[in-house]
Amino acid sequence: MQDLPTAVLQELDRANELDSLKLAEKLQVDEQKIVGAIKSLEALGDVIETKIYQVKNWKLTAEGEEVASAGSHEARVFNQVPADGIPQPELIKKCGPWGKVGFSKAMSAGWIKIDKSQGAPVVQRLIESITDTVMDHIKGDDSSIDDKVKAEYKKRKLAEEVLTKHYTLQKGANFTTKIEKAPTELTADMIATGSWKTTSLKPYNLDALGVETGAGCLHPLLKVRAEYRQIFLEMGFSEMTTNKFVESSFWNFDALFQPQQHPARDAHDTFFISDPATSTNFPSDYLERVKKVHSEGGFGSQGYGYDWKIDEASKNLLRTHTTAVSARMLYEVAQKDTFEPVKMFSIDRVFRNETLDATHLAEFHQIEGVVADYNLTLGHCIGVINTFFTKLGIEKLRFKPAYNPYTEPSMEIFSYHEGLQKWVEIGNSGMFRPEMLLPMGLPEGVNCIGFGLSLERPTMIKYKIDNIRDLVGHKVNLDMVKRNPLCRIVKA
Ligand code: PHE
């Protein structure tokens, strides 16, 4: 078969006027293909003239389709009513989701009645048989149905109106049935034979968009992460190694003086790993000190006084916070011959078995900073956090006493949100407990500041995303990732 644009031209040559809808029927092709052919003919200049017209059509909804095959709701209700009647609640229950509508329609059609003479309402037939006009209408040709009735079906969500576009076409000033494609390229042959002098080449379309280059691009979370990393680096922090998504309970909880019965260790909050289920090779003397401080105390603490078990500590999990990383790093710092003050940060992924909603996923990123030195106080802690947030352009901060098993004192960090006109929680912080630091081997008198916040929250605020699923996960629009702007934080 010849190509479709040529076929359209030949039809037009015979008919003088054509209609895309009828032409599609005649040529037995999809109307959209005809429209495509018409568009390409339009691009040739004045070969054809076109006009668009719109047609209103009725289309059945899913519910309408059901009515077309199974009958209207009222007819189905009527059919459920036996000759000697049926209690009303039983009828409604039998009819399922369409019972209520069907019932009231069947009542107003005068098909059924409620009989209360026996006490409880019983539904009875008023007539022997019915004609299901609604079904007949829905199934049949809509041209004969009154507009009012159609509007009623629309209201009942059985049918909806759809507008479709069609074309009429006529011959244009340069009508031809032979499409000549102007050559797009100058060839060596044309030059050799001199035919280029008489050939009309297809003009350049300087308005055509170029082919998009498939370059890589950064996800907004990574852009915001780069900004936070920059701030830490400006403040003299070095980055911790965060490559362990799978961690042992020991480093995630025990090293942090988090008791083994703590609710956070429950499978409701933590994802445990089944293969490999456990870790081994903990530094043995350190492990003994951790065991002791939990069960008996020491280092100036009375401990928790429970039977600490290595089985619990060896369980593998997906780390629930990056403080597990900080614990490993602080332990390493403590193993050096002489203690040197450190400022360290990390920004990486953590996992919690949360109920998912618009702002929570089972995995997210934490930003965490730790500073260890002799004689650090809560004042230093507040100072470091203040400097950090000031560099982010957040100046109004408040600290609220809180509880963490591994810090004392602990403080939640709040900032004043100008948009929301209220104080919102933006992070958590505190001074790591001696029960955590001393068993590691850090010298007496060394204190450690810690603070953490999520990366998702500031990113969502920065990029004005209000559902986390639009930022992370399989529903993310890749175009959003491609087109979102650079992240610039107005820094102080
Ligand atoms: N780990 C804490 C959290 O998950 C944050 C934190 C880090 C708190 C360091 C105090 C010290 O929220």
Side-chain angles (χ1 to χ4, degrees), residues 110-123:
W111 294 350
I112 53 172
K113 64 166 184 183
I114 302 179
D115 178 5
K116 287 189 180 157
S117 60
Q118 309 296 327
V122 171
V123 180

Side-chain angles (χ1 to χ4, degrees), residues 321 323 352 366 368 404 406-407 428-430 432 450-452:
H321 53 186
T323 318
R352 288 184 196 172
Q366 278 191 331
E368 180 154 319
N404 289 314
Y406 38 91
T407 51
N428 188 0
S429 64
F432 285 117
F451 63 100

Side-chain angles (χ1 to χ4, degrees), residues 59-246:
K59 198 176 144 258
L60 295 188
T61 60
E63 205 171 327
E65 297 283 0
E66 200 191 311
V67 166
S69 63
S72 67
H73 305 129
E74 49 270 44
R76 279 188 276 167
V77 167
F78 179 83
N79 291 334
Q80 294 292 339
V81 180
D84 52 352
I86 178 172
Q88 190 185 8
E90 195 181 316
L91 174 66
I92 299 287
K93 208 171 139 199
K94 239 179 159 177
C95 296
W98 37 267
K100 273 198 180 147
V101 209
F103 183 80
S104 71
K105 295 276 175 202
M107 282 290 286
S108 55
W111 294 350
I112 53 172
K113 64 166 184 183
I114 302 179
D115 178 5
K116 287 189 180 157
S117 60
Q118 309 296 327
V122 171
V123 180
Q124 272 164 351
R125 289 188 175 193
L126 272 175
I127 47 173
E128 283 290 299
S129 66
I130 51 151
T131 319
D132 192 353
T133 326
V134 175
M135 180 185 187
D136 294 344
H137 278 165
I138 293 276
K139 266 209 306 211
D141 167 19
D142 63 39
S143 58
S144 61
I145 307 172
D146 193 72
D147 277 350
K148 258 199 190 151
V149 178
K150 279 188 191 165
E152 164 73 12
Y153 295 159
K154 188 174 164 188
K155 221 171 105 195
R156 286 183 68 174
K157 297 208 163 65
L158 300 178
E160 58 197 8
E161 238 172 339
V162 284
L163 273 181
T164 48
K165 268 190 200 168
H166 309 277
Y167 287 80
T168 51
L169 32 158
Q170 287 181 324
K171 291 176 182 167
N174 297 329
F175 181 78
T176 165
T177 50
K178 286 201 187 66
I179 306 168
E180 272 173 39
K181 276 202 183 134
T184 52
E185 257 175 73
L186 186 65
T187 61
D189 211 36
M190 286 179 194
I191 296 171
T193 61
S195 74
W196 62 271
K197 288 181 204 158
T198 52
T199 309
S200 66
L201 287 161
K202 188 175 179 194
Y204 280 115
N205 176 3
L206 296 176
D207 294 328
L209 294 175
V211 178
E212 207 173 324
T213 47
C217 45
L218 289 179
H219 188 275
L221 277 175
L222 298 181
K223 293 182 187 171
V224 177
R225 181 173 78 171
E227 286 292 289
Y228 277 79
R229 176 180 279 143
Q230 194 53 40
I231 287 169
F232 275 118
L233 294 174
E234 279 169 21
M235 289 174 69
F237 282 65
S238 55
E239 190 160 4
M240 298 188 257
T241 314
T242 52
N243 57 1
K244 286 189 173 64
F245 287 2
V246 175

Side-chain angles (χ1 to χ4, degrees), residues 122-405:
V122 171
V123 180
Q124 272 164 351
R125 289 188 175 193
L126 272 175
I127 47 173
E128 283 290 299
S129 66
I130 51 151
T131 319
D132 192 353
T133 326
V134 175
M135 180 185 187
D136 294 344
H137 278 165
I138 293 276
K139 266 209 306 211
D141 167 19
D142 63 39
S143 58
S144 61
I145 307 172
D146 193 72
D147 277 350
K148 258 199 190 151
V149 178
K150 279 188 191 165
E152 164 73 12
Y153 295 159
K154 188 174 164 188
K155 221 171 105 195
R156 286 183 68 174
K157 297 208 163 65
L158 300 178
E160 58 197 8
E161 238 172 339
V162 284
L163 273 181
T164 48
K165 268 190 200 168
H166 309 277
Y167 287 80
T168 51
L169 32 158
Q170 287 181 324
K171 291 176 182 167
N174 297 329
F175 181 78
T176 165
T177 50
K178 286 201 187 66
I179 306 168
E180 272 173 39
K181 276 202 183 134
T184 52
E185 257 175 73
L186 186 65
T187 61
D189 211 36
M190 286 179 194
I191 296 171
T193 61
S195 74
W196 62 271
K197 288 181 204 158
T198 52
T199 309
S200 66
L201 287 161
K202 188 175 179 194
Y204 280 115
N205 176 3
L206 296 176
D207 294 328
L209 294 175
V211 178
E212 207 173 324
T213 47
C217 45
L218 289 179
H219 188 275
L221 277 175
L222 298 181
K223 293 182 187 171
V224 177
R225 181 173 78 171
E227 286 292 289
Y228 277 79
R229 176 180 279 143
Q230 194 53 40
I231 287 169
F232 275 118
L233 294 174
E234 279 169 21
M235 289 174 69
F237 282 65
S238 55
E239 190 160 4
M240 298 188 257
T241 314
T242 52
N243 57 1
K244 286 189 173 64
F245 287 2
V246 175
E247 188 49 280
S248 59
S249 296
F250 180 78
W251 289 107
N252 195 80
F253 293 128
D254 296 277
L256 294 165
F257 197 52
Q258 190 144 328
Q260 296 192 326
Q261 320 73 13
H262 192 279
R265 294 206 190 197
D266 202 282
H268 289 298
D269 295 308
T270 302
F271 290 115
F272 287 94
I273 303 284
S274 53
D275 187 16
T278 55
S279 283
T280 48
N281 288 339
F282 302 107
S284 58
D285 48 344
Y286 173 48
L287 181 129
E288 283 309 316
R289 291 194 296 270
V290 169
K291 175 177 179 173
K292 188 157 175 274
V293 78
H294 278 247
S295 48
E296 300 164 27
F299 307 102
S301 169
Q302 59 184 32
Y304 292 117
Y306 71 95
D307 187 12
W308 187 89
K309 291 206 170 70
I310 178 69
D311 290 351
E312 198 56 45
S314 4
K315 283 185 188 163
N316 283 335
L317 42 75
L318 289 176
R319 70 172 173 229
T320 64
H321 53 186
T322 44
T323 318
V325 174
S326 303
R328 278 184 179 270
M329 298 304 287
L330 286 169
Y331 173 76
E332 262 178 42
V333 169
Q335 302 323 296
K336 302 231 170 84
D337 289 341
T338 45
F339 170 79
E340 287 195 27
V342 285
K343 290 195 270 193
M344 305 182 291
F345 77 97
S346 65
I347 309 175
D348 209 344
R349 210 171 276 232
V350 301
F351 308 84
R352 288 184 196 172
N353 197 351
E354 303 243 23
T355 316
L356 311 184
D357 64 24
T359 50
H360 293 89
L361 287 181
E363 54 178 283
F364 61 100
H365 291 73
Q366 278 191 331
I367 304 169
E368 180 154 319
V370 293
V371 183
D373 200 355
Y374 282 101
N375 302 322
L376 292 179
T377 65
L378 195 64
H380 292 107
C381 183
I382 294 175
V384 168
I385 294 169
N386 233 328
T387 310
F388 177 79
F389 281 103
T390 305
K391 280 180 175 284
L392 284 167
I394 300 173
E395 290 186 32
K396 281 189 193 162
L397 288 184
R398 271 185 189 170
F399 296 88
K400 180 180 157 192
Y403 172 77
N404 289 314

